[in-house]
Every structure is written in C-alpha cells, then in structure tokens.
Amino acid sequence: MTGYPPPEPRPTVTYADCTVAVVPGYRPLHLDLHLPPGDGPFPVLLWVHGGGWLEGSRVGLPAPVAPHRFHQRFLDRGWAVADVDYRLALEAPYPAQLLDVQSAVRWLRLYADQLKLDPARFAALGESAGGHLAAMAGLTGTGENAVQAVVNWYGAVDFFAFDDLDDPASPPALLFGGPVSGRREFVAFGNALDRVHAGAPPFLTVHGTADRIVPPGQGQALTEALRAVGVRADLVLVPGADHCFAGYDDIGGLIEQGIDFLDEVLPGK
C-alpha cells in the first residue's frame, strides 16, 4: 500500500482544486474534474486513491498503473473523471473517509448541469484502501450520495480476514481507532462484506492472484456475497499480479475492461 510515485502526467484538468467540503478544523477537501470533448452530459467516474488510509492523494496513481493512461482511456471513451480527496486515518478516524467521498458525490451531483455530467451515471473506482471506500460508497449511498456502479481494484473489503487483528499499529487499527479485535461491532459498520444488500449497485472486482497485501479471497468473498443477494457482481482474477497489479503487463487492458463494464451497466440514452 506504499510506494506512490510523483504525480504522473495527466490530461488537462477542466476544473481543478474544486472545494467540495470544508470541515472545521481540517484542510478543505478538493477534487479535480477531467471532461472529455463534447457537450455531454457525461457519465462520471470518481477516482478514489489508495495508500492504506495513511498516504496517497488524488493526484497520484500506483506506480505500476501510472504509465497506462488511466485518465485518458476514460476520456477517450466519453467518461469524465473526478479525482477526489479524503481525510487520511491520522487526520480523522473512520467514517470520515467515507463521508468525504460522499461529499464529492453530492457536490458533483449538485452541479451536474453546470459541469455537463449525467447525475444518473455516477461510478466509483478505488484501489486498495480506495477500493474499500468505493465499495462502501456503493453499498451505503442513497439519494444524492448514491453511485450507480463500483469498480473495486483489490480493495480491503473484509477487515476480519486479515491476520493482524490485535495489532494497534496496523492500518485498519489506525483507521478505526484501535485493534480490530477489540471493536468488532464498529468495524463491521465499515466492513464492506458486512454491508452487502440486495439494493446494491453492480460491482466489478479486479484482484491479482498473487496479491500479498490484500489476499484475492477478499475480492472473491465480496463477489459471492453480492451474487447471493441477486446483485450483479463480476470478478476478474489477474494471473500472477501482486498488489497494485505489480508484475502484470497488460494493466491498460484491465482499465479497458473496467470501462467496458461501466458502459454495459450504465448505458447512455
């Protein structure tokens, strides 16, 4: 969950440093919005960065993903991309991070007409810690906070499946304010696997089979739980890929699979 490079070259940001929330006592929360050419309204993807809830920012991509034109691939296929901020775990404990992602969803929907966005086609894509937050946004959002589809890249979706439940210094312990073993009820409140329900939006989970940080069984378990309640849940297991898809050559193809999925479940008029 570490090793983020300097910000990668990105397409022109149409709206930069948009303030979506001001929380007293904390830094303002921003997003950058990239728009494709045309009049819209465009579907929008919210990019939710990873970093173990302890690092990373909206302007960075994981090192293995950064060279693969993440933003441009979405723009080329008619999707807007919003890179969103959230407070890190040592700034504020959970659920601050989810509330911040929801603030971005709400802000984009509020100004959808001015920004040329389609409020009925909001999707979230997160990686690792961001995958957890994207999944939670999909599972808990309603009304103006709702997203209509989720792409989960190797997200931590079951905190009880890790082997460091008693460690007070683990990233989940820092996120939830103490070891997972000592606050199971509260952790379950923020545990995607425990929040699955029949009204959830479609999910695509993409997970490396050799992931040593978040085991692929987590992605499989979430997919099975969603399918069990009748929600469309697609799963792509990436052979030989470690966390952040390290060791896999065709990351561009994985990005395109995500866009294919979103185009299918959120078709335009």
Side-chain angles (χ1 to χ4, degrees):
M1 296 186 188
T2 60
Y4 282 76
E8 77 289 348
R10 298 186 299 166
T12 300
V13 180
T14 311
Y15 297 97
D17 278 332
C18 299
T19 302
V20 302
V22 177
V23 184
Y26 297 94
R27 60 189 167 96
L29 298 169
H30 297 149
L31 66 75
D32 298 333
L33 180 64
H34 310 255
L35 289 180
D39 297 327
F42 304 112
V44 61
L45 179 86
L46 284 87
W47 161 249
V48 189
H49 71 82
W53 309 275
L54 296 170
E55 60 183 61
S57 80
R58 74 181 191 277
V59 300
L61 287 166
V65 177
H68 293 276
R69 301 174 61 250
F70 175 87
H71 290 81
Q72 193 61 55
R73 288 176 187 273
F74 277 91
L75 296 174
D76 288 347
R77 294 183 57 176
W79 279 78
V81 181
D83 308 321
V84 305
D85 268 340
Y86 59 85
R87 285 168 286 174
L88 301 176
L90 296 185
E91 295 180 279
Y94 189 85
Q97 297 71 28
L98 175 60
L99 296 176
D100 295 344
V101 172
Q102 290 178 332
S103 292
V105 174
R106 190 164 54 249
W107 187 89
L108 289 165
R109 187 163 276 119
L110 177 64
Y111 294 105
D113 286 346
Q114 296 95 312
L115 298 173
K116 304 193 294 186
L117 304 178
D118 184 347
R121 291 192 291 164
F122 275 36
L125 189 160
E127 61 98 14
S128 194
H132 161 247
L133 296 175
M136 290 299 297
L139 292 168
T140 65
T142 58
E144 62 185 7
N145 292 333
V147 296
Q148 284 78 41
V150 174
V151 179
N152 163 36
W153 279 2
Y154 46 88
V157 294
D158 185 9
F159 294 107
F160 302 113
F162 290 110
D163 58 7
D164 54 0
L165 303 187
D166 296 320
D167 183 357
S170 71
L174 296 174
L175 178 67
F176 289 103
V180 171
S181 61
R183 50 193 62 216
R184 288 180 174 270
E185 184 175 355
F186 179 52
V187 173
F189 170 72
N191 199 51
L193 193 61
D194 287 303
R195 302 302 297 271
V196 167
H197 60 93
F203 269 68
L204 167 65
T205 291
V206 188
H207 212 128
T209 61
D211 194 321
R212 293 172 290 179
I213 304 248
V214 180
Q218 291 206 23
Q220 292 171 300
L222 179 64
T223 299
E224 292 168 2
L226 288 163
R227 289 174 177 172
V229 295
V231 174
R232 174 168 175 176
D234 294 4
L235 176 65
V236 175
L237 292 174
V238 185
D242 200 347
H243 205 59
C244 303
F245 303 135
Y248 187 72
D249 291 333
D250 190 16
I251 294 175
L254 299 179
I255 298 170
E256 294 290 343
Q257 285 186 63
I259 304 171
D260 290 342
F261 170 80
L262 293 175
D263 282 344
E264 182 178 347
V265 299
L266 298 178
K269 296 180 181 178

